[in-house]
Amino acid sequence: MAVHHFAQAQAINPVLANAFRAIRAADPRATTGALYASPDDLLRQVDLPEFSTLIKFIVASLNATAQQANAAAWPAGRHGLELELIGVWFQIQNGDAFHDVHTHGNCSWSGVYYVQLDTPEQRSAHPKLGALNGATRFYSPMFMLQGGAYVDRGNAWMQQSTLDVTPQEGDLVLFPSFLPHKAMPYSGERDRIIVSFNAQIRAPGGDDLLLRYAGV
Ligand SMILES: [Fe+2]
């Protein structure tokens, strides 16, 4: 996993938030509920320079993190690989709404970019939700191994099997797509607005079948 921060967030996020509100307002399928998720074709729907700047930042961050994670598996480095964002969408959340535990399919890397939400100080002042207000919780694969598992001090390190990311506006969190995660309940003065995406990284020609990475 990796966390990056978008240096231009302060200038660009309000423009994105307005655009996303407009898309929601124009969506005939949208409900007035506390959680709205857009279609995942924002790359086709949004034609704004601010959005393009964000996408460039996301792609550069993905490339850097994937290269770091695959340092031993990509003998020739990043050269020649193609990164494709195969889905980009946004969510708007408030009123204690949450997005339950899920994974993302058909991709190797996924991520979430925080466009707008109250400050950590404001969020943690919430009487019921506290510091987890608006957090994103990630579940280690070890989480599922702990039912009935042997436990002593020797594997105490396994017992902390969740990671709570307490985001700020402009943060970008990248994670392997198989990793289960949950948008914890959020209640704030301002809506929690995020951009989510899925990415594939392939050799030209799309021939990345198992054990055929050599020579990339
Ligand atoms: Fe997700």
Side-chain angles (χ1 to χ4, degrees), residues 73-81 202-204 207-208 212-216:
W74 291 354
R78 169 73 180 75
H79 181 71
L81 298 183
R202 300 182 298 265
D207 63 345
D208 274 358
R212 294 180 62 188
Y213 300 110
V216 166

Side-chain angles (χ1 to χ4, degrees), residues 5-87:
H5 189 79
F6 186 32
Q8 299 174 70
Q10 239 181 333
I12 282 181
N13 284 5
V15 180
L16 298 177
N18 281 338
F20 296 160
R21 283 190 206 99
I23 289 173
R24 180 185 193 177
D27 183 352
R29 301 172 313 132
T31 66
T32 53
L35 180 68
Y36 171 78
S38 78
D40 71 353
D41 64 346
L42 288 193
L43 290 179
R44 282 192 292 274
Q45 273 201 64
V46 181
D47 185 18
L48 284 173
E50 290 84 356
F51 187 64
S52 300
T53 305
L54 174 67
I55 293 298
K56 279 182 194 145
F57 165 70
I58 288 173
V59 168
S61 302
L62 275 167
N63 275 326
T65 294
Q67 172 139 3
Q68 194 178 8
N70 287 289
W74 291 354
R78 169 73 180 75
H79 181 71
L81 298 183
E82 293 172 352
L83 186 150
E84 184 181 359
L85 291 174
I86 56 171

Side-chain angles (χ1 to χ4, degrees), residues 89 91 99 102-104 111 175 181 196:
W89 65 99
Q91 283 188 196
H99 186 187
H102 63 283
T103 58
H104 294 199
F175 56 92
H181 56 283
S196 286

Side-chain angles (χ1 to χ4, degrees), residues 61-173:
S61 302
L62 275 167
N63 275 326
T65 294
Q67 172 139 3
Q68 194 178 8
N70 287 289
W74 291 354
R78 169 73 180 75
H79 181 71
L81 298 183
E82 293 172 352
L83 186 150
E84 184 181 359
L85 291 174
I86 56 171
V88 182
W89 65 99
F90 69 86
Q91 283 188 196
I92 300 180
Q93 171 190 359
N94 210 335
D96 290 354
F98 63 97
H99 186 187
D100 210 350
V101 183
H102 63 283
T103 58
H104 294 199
N106 198 28
C107 47
S108 55
W109 286 92
S110 296
V112 54
Y113 174 74
Y114 299 89
V115 176
Q116 175 186 291
L117 74 173
D118 284 358
T119 65
E121 293 73 26
Q122 287 174 304
R123 299 191 322 255
S124 58
H126 190 280
K128 284 184 297 179
L129 302 176
L132 288 178
N133 187 8
T136 305
R137 172 166 288 177
F138 292 90
Y139 297 81
S140 159
M142 290 186 295
F143 182 78
M144 295 303 292
L145 301 175
Q146 290 177 348
Y150 181 78
V151 175
D152 69 11
R153 294 296 177 96
N155 62 8
W157 60 274
M158 288 180 61
Q159 302 309 310
Q160 180 58 49
S161 59
T162 59
L163 174 70
D164 295 321
V165 172
T166 303
Q168 308 214 39
E169 290 178 353
D171 284 348
L172 170 69
V173 179

